[in-house]
Amino acid sequence: MKKVLILALAIVLSGCASQVQKGAITLAYSNFEDRDYEDTLIYINQAENAKETSAELKAELTYLKARTYEKMGKYSDAKALYGYLVEQHPQSQYSYLAKEKLENRL
């Protein structure tokens, strides 16, 4: 609840999509570390929708989403996102990490 209030306050005070996006990314990683995967997905979606993302940020968020699905036991969803990274972001560091995940069969 506290995290939601902090994010809401950031939205009200800043009104800046960039700051909202950064806050959502921070909260996504924080929730991932806390093993709160449902909230992790919520914050990833907020970060994706806050403003247009660069290709590298899109790859980063997709990789985090794939890892989250993997932790939730949703292996087919994770595999699909890892495959997307390999195909659509071949020059990204996240493509390399995704290839490793796919080769190790999650």
Side-chain angles (χ1 to χ4, degrees), residues 8-88:
L9 182 60
I11 292 170
V12 170
L13 292 177
S14 71
C16 178
S18 178
Q19 292 300 320
V20 171
Q21 187 177 56
K22 288 177 185 177
I25 293 167
T26 299
L27 289 171
Y29 277 107
S30 176
N31 279 277
F32 183 83
E33 290 173 13
D34 291 343
R35 298 180 182 163
D36 186 351
Y37 302 124
E38 294 293 334
D39 281 350
T40 300
L41 293 174
I42 289 169
Y43 290 118
I44 291 170
N45 287 332
Q46 285 180 359
E48 289 173 332
N49 294 323
K51 69 175 213 163
E52 193 164 328
T53 59
S54 67
E56 189 65 16
L57 182 56
K58 173 71 173 162
E60 178 183 358
L61 292 171
T62 302
Y63 184 75
L64 180 58
K65 189 182 288 187
R67 289 181 59 208
T68 302
Y69 282 136
E70 186 178 351
K71 294 288 187 178
M72 295 173 78
K74 297 181 178 185
Y75 300 111
S76 61
D77 292 332
K79 185 177 178 181
L81 289 174
Y82 289 137
Y84 167 83
L85 286 167
V86 171
E87 291 177 18
Q88 298 298 317

